[in-house]
Amino acid sequence: MNARRLLLATTLALVVAVGTACGSDQADDAAVRPDGSVDLAKVTLHLGDQKGTGLQALLTAAGELDKTPYQIEWSQYQAGPPMLEAINSGAVDFGGVGNSPPVFAAAAKSAIKIVSAYQSGKDGQGIVVPKDSPLRTPEDLRGKKIAVTKGSSAHHHLLTVLNKAGIKWDQIEPQYLQPPDALAALSTGRVDAWAIWDPYTAQAEQQSNARILVDGNGYIPGDAFYVAGTKALDRKGTAAALRDLLGRIGRAHTWVNEHPEQWAKTYAELTGLPYDVILTVVKRGRYLDHQLDARTIAAEQSVADAFAEAGLIPRKVTIADYIDTRFNDLFPAA
């Protein structure tokens, strides 16, 4: 499948959630044979994707979308929170996000489960400012207008940076913007800083002459997650297809680590971002898949606790309630 066809595929609109859920249930029933085995040819996975994680580009570049035993329908999102809303509704089965979207989804009592984890470096998680900005240290952020996508990994990064600098959340002026709007706001001086993740961090550096005031090192756990809907996990056929998919993702991560330039070329073609931007992203960190172990769960719990203590989510959450370890055997220990 060429890049043009892939890009056209990602523009498919979401169907009504109830209709999707009912149709998925019926298709799943048909996929399960009388002996309990699954005919994956009768399964369709509804996958969410975002430019920051590039799941479709990742699998395409590594050749892992060739001859999948099930069908895949893709939906694109600008960030993790709206993707998890779609997963909660049943319109989407699965998608990759940073560390914060699952916390906000859990606080909203969404029907989601974290099913796998990986690290991909902390250098690309950045709070960026214009190159000639007088802001030089995290302490300089006090009282400033800072763009951030609500519920994103950048939201937690910003909160942690402020906490370590002795700045309370109400001592800044957060501007809740999606990445394209935030980039425009930074470029035109409507905000003083932008908390963001790669590839947008690299894009801001190279296209808007921004510099990283502070990155994620020393501030964030660095985990990202793949999340599935509980409805999807409850369907035997869909769960079997997700197991196969997660194996493909693990192999794709290994391929990317071994072929960074080729990965950057394909990623750039499929996202429309310049090759130099993507190559910067790729070189910032290798993928490291790992199990959902006690350390990983505790680290994500610390993210949830930070948001709760700051009053940024409506209730405290227990992250263990939103973890499904059935796929742990596919990945190495952390």
Side-chain angles (χ1 to χ4, degrees), residues 116-318:
S116 74
Y118 67 94
Q119 293 245 338
S120 61
K122 304 175 185 179
D123 295 346
Q125 193 81 44
I127 298 176
V128 299
V129 297
K131 188 175 183 179
D132 58 357
S133 169
L135 306 185
R136 295 292 170 181
T137 69
E139 288 75 15
D140 294 332
L141 293 171
R142 190 188 307 272
K144 303 304 181 184
K145 290 183 178 179
I146 306 174
V148 64
T149 301
K150 188 173 185 178
S152 68
S153 59
H155 199 172
H156 174 252
H157 180 215
L158 175 59
L159 176 62
T160 304
V161 168
L162 295 176
N163 285 342
K164 287 195 174 185
I167 303 171
K168 295 182 179 180
W169 188 257
D170 61 8
Q171 291 178 312
I172 66 164
E173 295 183 43
Q175 310 293 305
Y176 292 120
L177 300 172
Q178 292 296 321
D181 297 327
L183 177 61
L186 183 76
S187 301
T188 56
R190 288 184 284 120
V191 296
D192 302 297
W194 179 22
I196 193 57
W197 61 90
D198 263 337
Y200 301 109
T201 306
Q203 185 179 17
E205 288 179 282
Q206 296 190 24
Q207 297 183 338
S208 296
N209 205 26
R211 60 179 168 83
I212 297 177
L213 178 73
V214 57
D215 62 23
N217 290 289
Y219 291 97
I220 58 174
D223 281 326
F225 300 102
Y226 288 108
V227 176
T230 56
K231 298 171 187 175
L233 292 168
D234 287 343
R235 296 194 297 267
K236 187 173 183 178
T238 302
L242 288 176
R243 170 171 283 276
D244 178 87
L245 176 69
L246 283 165
R248 291 171 185 271
I249 290 172
R251 293 193 298 271
H253 284 166
T254 299
W255 181 88
V256 165
N257 290 340
E258 296 171 351
H259 304 84
E261 288 81 8
Q262 190 173 344
W263 160 230
K265 182 176 182 295
T266 302
Y267 195 178
E269 289 175 352
L270 297 180
T271 61
L273 290 171
Y275 172 78
D276 290 344
V277 169
I278 298 302
L279 189 60
T280 297
V281 174
V282 172
K283 289 183 175 180
R284 275 180 175 156
R286 294 167 58 85
Y287 287 105
L288 178 61
D289 294 280
H290 61 83
Q291 294 179 358
L292 291 168
D293 59 6
R295 180 208 64 81
T296 304
I297 296 170
E300 184 67 356
Q301 184 64 55
S302 72
V303 175
D305 292 344
F307 279 117
E309 290 167 7
L312 296 175
I313 55 176
R315 67 185 185 94
K316 291 185 177 181
V317 299
T318 302

Side-chain angles (χ1 to χ4, degrees), residues 36-60:
S37 63
V38 174
D39 181 358
L40 289 176
K42 295 182 178 179
V43 175
T44 297
L45 287 182
H46 300 271
L47 302 183
D49 197 13
Q50 53 174 319
K51 189 177 290 186
T53 55
L55 178 59
Q56 186 178 13
L58 173 80
L59 293 170
T60 300

Side-chain angles (χ1 to χ4, degrees), residues 62-73:
E64 291 292 343
L65 287 184
D66 297 340
K67 299 180 180 179
T68 56
Y70 39 82
Q71 300 299 311
I72 297 177
E73 293 184 2

